[in-house]
């Protein structure tokens, strides 16, 4: 690009754009991100890995508000499993590898007794990082197993 007689480099060219994982152009985004979120969570579960929040947010156009993104996430979690015993939201990961506070709130809401047994009563004791990591590891293992079983059941129905 030329500007005032000097050459300028595009801010989204070469390695910089790739390192930033920028999705260009936005017009390629799916207007209904629910199937994208469901597939991303299923893929993470089947591969025994996590979905970083950064990758989750890339599934949406930049103009989509956070409240809408989390509404879509809640719908995706219900679609993947409608019961409270399996929460695919545990696969989302912050930079520290743990899911965000939304997972722990859901866990407390739907599985209070199990939360208290594992972490202690949050009214009297703060959860430790070690306790959170142990709880998350166990829950991720359950989600991975659930996804594998669902995949096998799907294949059995196709073959029948």
């Amino acid at each position: 690009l030329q500007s005032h007689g000097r050459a300028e480099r595009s801010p989204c060219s070469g390695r910089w754009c790739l390192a930033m994982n920028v999705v260009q152009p936005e017009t390629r985004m799916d207007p209904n991100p629910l199937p994208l979120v469901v597939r991303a969570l299923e893929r993470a579960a089947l591969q025994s890995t996590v979905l970083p929040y950064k990758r989750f947010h890339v599934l949406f156009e930049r103009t989509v508000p956070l409240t809408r993104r989390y509404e879509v996430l809640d719908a995706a979690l219900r679609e993947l499993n409608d019961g409270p015993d399996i929460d695919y939201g545990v696969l989302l990961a912050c930079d520290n590898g743990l899911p965000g506070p939304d997972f722990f709130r859901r866990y407390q809401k739907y599985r209070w007794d199990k939360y208290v047994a594992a972490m202690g009563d949050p009214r009297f004791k703060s959860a430790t990082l070690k306790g959170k990591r142990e709880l998350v590891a166990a829950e991720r293992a359950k989600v991975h197993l659930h996804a594998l079983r669902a995949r096998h059941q799907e294949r059995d129905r196709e073959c029948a």
Side-chain angles (χ1 to χ4, degrees):
L1 300 171
Q2 291 288 338
S3 176
H4 305 293
R6 61 187 156 97
E8 288 185 8
R9 195 169 159 211
S10 169
C12 191
S13 63
R15 290 177 44 187
W16 185 83
C17 193
L18 293 174
M20 295 297 294
N21 195 20
V22 176
V23 177
Q24 294 287 339
E26 284 187 356
T27 55
R28 285 190 272 169
M29 298 300 292
D30 190 329
N32 179 10
L34 178 61
L36 297 175
V37 174
V38 169
R39 278 195 306 269
L41 288 167
E42 282 179 328
R43 188 176 312 116
L46 290 168
Q47 295 174 353
S48 296
T49 186
V50 296
L51 176 63
Y53 278 97
K54 290 177 185 177
R55 283 198 7 230
F56 165 73
H57 289 292
V58 168
L59 299 174
F60 298 86
E61 292 185 25
R62 283 183 254 158
T63 57
V64 175
L66 284 176
T67 53
R68 176 67 185 133
R69 294 174 189 204
Y70 285 100
E71 288 170 358
V72 171
L73 175 61
D74 287 340
L77 297 178
R78 283 190 307 276
E79 186 170 318
L80 289 164
N81 186 53
D82 204 15
D85 291 335
I86 301 291
D87 185 347
Y88 277 68
V90 73
L91 299 176
L92 288 163
C94 298
D95 291 340
N96 67 3
L98 292 173
D102 49 317
F103 165 75
F104 294 101
R105 279 192 293 271
R106 281 192 308 274
Y107 198 94
Q108 286 180 19
K109 180 178 179 180
Y110 296 113
R111 297 183 268 174
W112 174 259
D113 292 340
K114 289 181 180 182
Y115 183 88
V116 171
M119 309 287 283
D121 191 327
R123 296 174 295 186
F124 309 113
K125 179 183 180 232
S126 295
T128 65
L129 188 59
K130 180 182 176 189
K132 285 182 175 182
R133 289 194 187 285
E134 289 172 358
L135 175 74
V136 165
E139 290 303 308
R140 285 180 175 161
K142 284 173 54 177
V143 168
H144 299 313
L145 184 59
H146 181 268
L148 288 172
R149 286 181 178 158
R151 172 63 58 95
H152 288 300
Q153 288 174 351
E154 183 179 301
R155 286 187 178 159
D156 289 347
R157 280 191 302 258
E158 290 173 358
C159 293

